[in-house]
Amino acid sequence: MKKWALITGASQGIGYEFTKLFAADGYNLVLVARDQARLKQVADEIGARFGIVAKIIPKDLTARTAPKEIFDELQTDKIQIDVLINNAGFGFQGAFSELELQRHLDLIQVNMTALVELTYLFLKPMLVRREGRILNVASTAAFQPGPYMAMYYASKAFVYSFSCALAEELSGTGVTATTLNPGITRSQFHGRAGLQRSKGFAIMEAEEVAKIGYRALMNGKPNVTAGLINKLSSSIAKALPTRLTTRIAARLNKHDDR
Ligand SMILES: NC(=O)c1ccc[n+]([C@@H]2O[C@H](COP(=O)([O-])OP(=O)(O)OC[C@H]3O[C@@H](n4cnc5c(N)ncnc54)[C@H](OP(=O)(O)O)[C@@H]3O)[C@@H](O)[C@H]2O)c1
């Protein structure tokens, strides 16, 4: 019997690249994102190319009820999730006080609350079976505060801390949690965030980032940062005083000049 992987944010970018990796390894897929037409296109493409079943669940994860609705729909369909990929996420640029409060709250809901709720719901049956894998997509933004993208950086620091802690709690249970920290990656993310970071020598392709995450997940690694340059810059960021790294991030985010 084929295993099932659930991927949030599966319609494009890193999430879309994950769909191909799982399908190539024979997993059936549950694809979650808002854009129903695009999800159907991905499901049709992947299904035909790899001979697997791809079920779509169009959901807006800013809705408080979305994670439970996803879980309940899969229970009703008797689909057991073997792998959970919490990838959906977004950010935006601007001074905290000048942006609408609702945008901040929506970011918290998608990047943090939905991720926690999906993890909680799908982890329980995995623990009963003593088998399962969870991957949470954080970011190198987790390693320093990020003025002018304050909520995004804070949300990724949360994901990083939560997910690494969970990995340790799960040791010996048969279930693993892996945190993936991409650096700047080519996708729709920056355009949507109001940033122009599509250039730069350290930019990685979404396909490469997903492959690194996939490998770490399958090896049960608790944490991986994508790419040598991101690994090095993250180590430096962790070693420097927070005040300094915060100022550097402020400069980069305010002027968006990298
Ligand atoms: N790109 C980077 O440089 C970078 C760096 C570090 C970390 N990351 C993280 O990597 C993850 C994937 O980002 P990406 O670069 O692949 O960005 P992307 O191309 O913008 O893709 C984001 C995905 O999330 C889905 N999504 C966004 N808001 C959603 C919502 N409210 N409800 C449900 N789904 C939603 C989008 O689909 P719909 O629009 O159809 O809903 C899309 O499938 C994110 O967690 C991001 O924070 C990205």
Side-chain angles (χ1 to χ4, degrees):
M1 218 171 63
K2 279 192 161 72
K3 291 191 170 186
W4 285 84
L6 187 163
I7 302 169
T8 68
S11 59
Q12 58 192 23
I14 299 168
Y16 170 63
E17 296 301 331
F18 271 122
T19 67
K20 291 188 273 181
L21 295 171
F22 280 101
D25 270 357
Y27 280 81
N28 288 331
L29 299 173
V30 179
L31 312 177
V32 176
R34 287 167 301 183
D35 185 340
Q36 180 163 3
R38 173 65 191 146
L39 275 184
K40 181 159 183 336
Q41 207 180 10
V42 173
D44 290 348
E45 176 204 324
I46 303 285
R49 187 165 154 201
F50 298 101
I52 55 102
V53 177
K55 174 184 169 63
I56 65 167
I57 306 188
K59 283 283 174 209
D60 185 344
L61 292 172
T62 61
R64 181 70 191 85
T65 51
K68 184 69 166 63
E69 286 167 8
I70 294 166
F71 182 76
D72 288 346
E73 182 170 334
L74 294 172
Q75 292 279 98
T76 305
D77 289 356
K78 300 207 169 6
I79 291 175
Q80 172 189 297
I81 297 301
D82 301 288
V83 181
L84 169 65
I85 306 292
N86 280 310
N87 163 75
F90 69 98
F92 44 78
Q93 185 197 29
F96 173 76
S97 63
E98 289 168 14
L99 294 160
E100 274 176 41
L101 176 60
Q102 193 55 49
R103 292 186 79 188
H104 295 311
L105 300 179
D106 284 349
L107 185 148
I108 290 170
Q109 187 65 39
V110 175
N111 293 13
M112 296 159 65
T113 311
L115 177 146
V116 168
E117 194 170 347
L118 287 169
T119 300
Y120 189 87
L121 292 169
F122 288 102
L123 175 60
K124 294 262 177 179
M126 287 178 185
L127 286 171
V128 172
R129 298 194 305 270
R130 297 190 64 78
E131 191 183 358
R133 297 181 192 278
I134 298 171
L135 182 136
N136 294 313
V137 180
S139 168
T140 52
F143 306 133
Q144 68 279 299
Y148 305 102
M149 282 190 82
M151 293 306 299
Y152 179 72
Y153 279 56
S155 74
K156 293 302 181 179
F158 171 88
V159 172
Y160 175 76
S161 176
F162 163 66
S163 186
C164 290
L166 183 65
E168 180 60 27
E169 285 187 22
L170 291 176
S171 104
T173 65
V175 182
T176 60
T178 298
T179 312
L180 169 64
N181 310 299
I184 300 177
T185 307
R186 206 180 315 279
S187 73
Q188 301 300 311
F189 178 88
H190 298 103
R192 287 176 156 192
L195 299 164
Q196 281 135 39
R197 286 172 199 169
S198 53
K199 297 185 245 23
F201 73 103
I203 192 160
M204 290 180 72
E205 299 301 325
E207 184 183 0
E208 202 183 347
V209 172
K211 274 186 186 158
I212 290 168
Y214 190 81
R215 216 176 301 130
L217 175 78
M218 290 308 172
N219 288 331
K221 272 185 84 172
N223 180 42
V224 66
T225 295
L228 185 63
I229 292 172
N230 291 324
K231 281 193 177 91
L232 286 173
S233 58
S234 298
S235 301
I236 293 167
K238 284 180 199 165
L240 289 173
T242 304
R243 193 157 174 218
L244 179 60
T245 53
T246 306
R247 282 202 179 150
I248 295 169
R251 213 168 243 235
L252 293 171
N253 292 335
K254 192 170 186 185
H255 304 298
D256 188 23
D257 57 359
R258 69 172 156 172

